[in-house]
Amino acid sequence: MKAREIVTSAQILRLEDDGIIRATAFPVHMSLTFAQEVVRPTIELADGTPRPVLVDIRAQKSVDRVAREHFAGAEAAKGHCALALLVDSRVSKATLKDGIAYAEGRHGRRAAPRAR
């Protein structure tokens, strides 16, 4: 398989020979518009087969709540079967935590609330 690459305003995405989509975020504030712009080529690169995706968000400045919700939604799931994020800053770690909490709650895997 020949590697394919798509560049958007927010990320560069590349389908590698090993079948993994690798994305690198640009230093942007990830809005819903940027999120939609990133999801479309992810689905295109997946070509009908959801693939593992590795996203380096170390340069990303922030992410809006609606963008996180879009990334955790059904449309985005058409392009990936697994997702890993590379993080290094407090902002990206907070993004990661929020995204995990949202996805777990959306898919019913959130831990039961503590009894008081």
Side-chain angles (χ1 to χ4, degrees):
M1 172 187 342
K2 186 176 183 213
R4 292 182 47 216
E5 184 175 281
I6 299 174
V7 179
T8 72
S9 300
Q11 291 182 353
I12 184 168
L13 300 99
R14 183 178 178 94
L15 175 59
E16 299 286 352
D17 291 338
D18 59 8
I20 296 173
I21 296 173
R22 287 177 174 78
T24 303
F26 298 139
V28 299
H29 298 282
M30 184 65 70
S31 65
L32 177 58
T33 302
F34 281 145
Q36 292 167 332
E37 185 182 333
V38 167
V39 166
R40 282 189 295 270
T42 303
I43 294 168
E44 181 183 332
L45 287 171
D47 195 28
T49 303
R51 300 186 180 274
V53 178
L54 176 61
V55 186
D56 182 345
I57 62 170
R58 293 176 290 183
Q60 187 171 294
K61 293 181 179 181
S62 65
V63 61
D64 294 343
R65 179 186 179 106
V66 292
R68 289 192 307 266
E69 290 171 356
H70 185 69
F71 285 130
E75 183 70 15
K78 292 177 185 176
H80 69 271
C81 61
L83 180 67
L85 301 175
L86 296 177
V87 301
D88 73 348
S89 70
R90 292 188 335 191
V91 171
S92 57
K93 287 177 185 174
T95 299
L96 175 64
K97 285 173 141 179
D98 289 346
I100 290 170
Y102 179 79
E104 287 178 346
R106 187 165 195 60
H107 300 291
R109 289 178 260 164
R110 182 173 284 177
R114 293 183 190 160
R116 292 182 185 213

